[in-house]
Amino acid sequence: MSDVTQHVEDLTPRQIVDELDKYIIGQDDAKKNVAIALRNRWRRQNAPKDMRDEIVPNNIIMIGPTGVGKTEIARRLAHLARAPFIKVEASKFTEVGYVGRDVDSMIRDLTDIAVNMVEKEHKEAVQDRARELAEKRILDILIPPDDDTAAQADNGTSDGPDLAVREPDDAESEDDSTSLRERTREKFRDKLERGDLDDREIEIEVTSDSQSMMQMFGPMGMEEMGVNLEELFGNLAGGQKRKTRRVTVEEAREILTQEEAQKLIDMDQVKEDALERVQQAGIVFVDEIDKVASGTRTRDEGGQGAGVSRQGVQRDLLPIVEGSTVTTKHGMVETDHILFVASGAFHASKPSDLIPELQGRFPIRVELNNLDEDDFYEILTKPKNALVKQYRALFRSEDVTIEFEKEGVSELARIAAEVNADVENIGARRLHTVLTTLLEDLLFDVPEEIPAGSKITIDADKVRDRLSSIASSRDLSQYIL
């Protein structure tokens, strides 16, 4: 079985939804469809070989207002599958021939993400060996090997103990000297493992990262051609440069471990695995797809020029979604089996305003529901990353306990829903503004006015005292909430 799908092989669609439920409230239809899409990845990998390449992903288009969980569903799905994931905004792309980013860049960025992801995984697999090699290098600096000891002692540069290095009179004295050095190295090795030497400063040689800025100043278009300027100029310069840094042993252990891990991994294999993962498990989330749809309102307002440009973006997007080959600096990427999830509010346009060919490439359409007061209450309390839990952690870092009573949370949910209805519906993002406004004075007063060890209780009365006057004033709420 492919390594790409091993991590989700035991998750059924129902279990995937259960995992998403830990972070996202409601939107059952959307979670159901993305769970099926993820499971279908595994099913395709286990299908007969003659059918495997014929099975294409069912791309999804999510329709719903801002702040209802569209992006969060896609992001959590990618995290669950450990798949390369990128979120792009359709409105940021331009038609080929115009100044701006072309749609191919989303695949190049996705490939970069995959390479970093796979490289990190390969490094984690060799961490133990890399740490051993790093500690050996530190030990060689503290107690230099035989060949270096005399030279460093003469120069006065040895960071190790003041060993008496002398020419042996005979074989026996040479053996004694070697034995003494080995015993000393063993003692220092034990101290190093225990952390007794962590605060000691030593000088280490590390790879200079002066080449890393080269790509930023390369000519426009070189990246699009798949040319890696960093490697090109790095080779012309005669390889990587080294520089000396003075750091503590603890810092040296971390720096050298990463350097040794880099040496232990095969970057060609990393790129090969990354390309495979992008092609078989990549997820591209295209937000604001409605902004490139030529809606009726745009044409009525004389926006025909903008409409033509938007259709150009759609036409450029079409071959990538259909399946094409994109050139990246890591190799050629086929997009046939990348899952595309598009989303948009579609206030001024409809999905049918997209060009028919693009509509056909997003066969699954899911409408997400507006969030009400009950949803807000659950969002504040149930998810693993609920806002109430986040603020508890923030106050706990100052040794201050903050408790939210049930009635207080209910009042917060009610006010957030009320402001959304009166001003503008921004979904669950309204909870951030409401909670920030409620707690800003408390966060400012800690730790001077509210010392460590204090306990704060947020009840319904405190919420009303702080927020009701703001929420009831339409003029104020437009600016504050």
Side-chain angles (χ1 to χ4, degrees), residues 226-246:
V227 176
N228 190 338
L229 293 176
E230 184 176 351
E231 289 184 2
L232 176 64
F233 286 105
N235 292 334
L236 291 176
Q240 295 175 316
K241 295 182 179 179
R242 308 283 291 177
K243 66 178 181 180
T244 303
R245 289 182 59 186
R246 191 165 189 86

Side-chain angles (χ1 to χ4, degrees), residues 268-479:
D268 289 335
Q269 186 63 47
V270 166
K271 291 179 181 181
E272 185 179 328
D273 292 348
L275 291 175
E276 175 72 8
R277 190 173 299 188
V278 166
Q279 294 174 135
Q280 304 299 332
I283 299 176
V284 176
F285 183 77
V286 186
D287 202 5
E288 296 185 353
I289 192 74
D290 55 318
K291 299 295 193 301
V292 297
S294 300
T296 305
R297 190 177 73 173
T298 303
R299 289 194 293 269
D300 291 344
E301 292 175 354
Q304 185 61 33
V308 170
S309 176
R310 290 167 183 165
Q311 284 195 8
V313 174
Q314 293 183 58
R315 284 192 297 270
D316 290 346
L317 189 60
L318 181 61
I320 293 182
V321 179
E322 284 181 333
S324 60
T325 302
V326 177
T327 303
T328 75
K329 65 185 179 185
H330 305 292
M332 308 294 282
V333 174
E334 295 179 355
T335 66
D336 301 67
H337 299 290
I338 292 176
L339 176 66
F340 289 86
V341 181
S343 78
F346 288 99
H347 290 311
S349 58
K350 307 182 295 296
S352 58
D353 290 324
L354 295 168
I355 60 175
E357 297 88 347
L358 194 59
Q359 290 182 52
R361 289 296 167 176
F362 288 90
I364 309 299
R365 297 186 184 181
V366 183
E367 190 164 349
L368 283 80
N369 305 316
N370 281 319
L371 301 173
D372 57 22
E373 185 178 326
D374 292 336
D375 292 324
F376 284 160
Y377 179 83
E378 292 192 359
I379 290 170
L380 283 170
T381 54
K382 283 190 175 181
K384 280 188 172 183
N385 61 338
L387 279 175
V388 166
K389 297 175 184 176
Q390 292 179 29
Y391 277 104
R392 280 192 191 129
L394 288 176
F395 278 97
R396 196 178 299 123
S397 69
E398 301 269 12
D399 196 22
V400 174
T401 304
I402 184 166
E403 290 297 332
F404 292 83
E405 291 187 354
K406 184 177 179 181
E407 293 76 11
V409 177
S410 297
E411 187 66 15
L412 276 168
R414 184 192 68 77
I415 291 174
E418 181 182 300
V419 176
N420 269 353
D422 291 344
V423 182
E424 186 173 355
N425 189 357
I426 60 171
R429 293 188 178 94
R430 184 69 68 186
L431 297 173
H432 287 270
T433 59
V434 169
L435 261 174
T436 300
T437 305
L438 171 69
L439 300 175
E440 63 179 352
D441 287 341
L442 297 175
L443 289 166
F444 185 80
D445 289 339
V446 174
E448 286 89 358
E449 299 294 327
I450 303 175
S454 302
K455 182 176 180 180
I456 303 168
T457 302
I458 303 296
D459 54 22
D461 290 336
K462 283 188 178 179
V463 175
R464 279 192 290 268
D465 290 344
R466 176 71 178 133
L467 296 177
S468 289
S469 59
I470 299 173
S472 61
S473 171
R474 182 178 176 85
D475 291 337
L476 271 178
S477 59
Q478 285 189 67
Y479 295 101

Side-chain angles (χ1 to χ4, degrees), residues 155-175:
N155 295 332
T157 57
S158 174
D159 283 304
D162 187 15
L163 296 178
V165 181
R166 49 182 169 74
E167 290 292 329
D169 294 332
D170 49 35
E172 185 177 346
S173 60
E174 184 177 352
D175 290 342

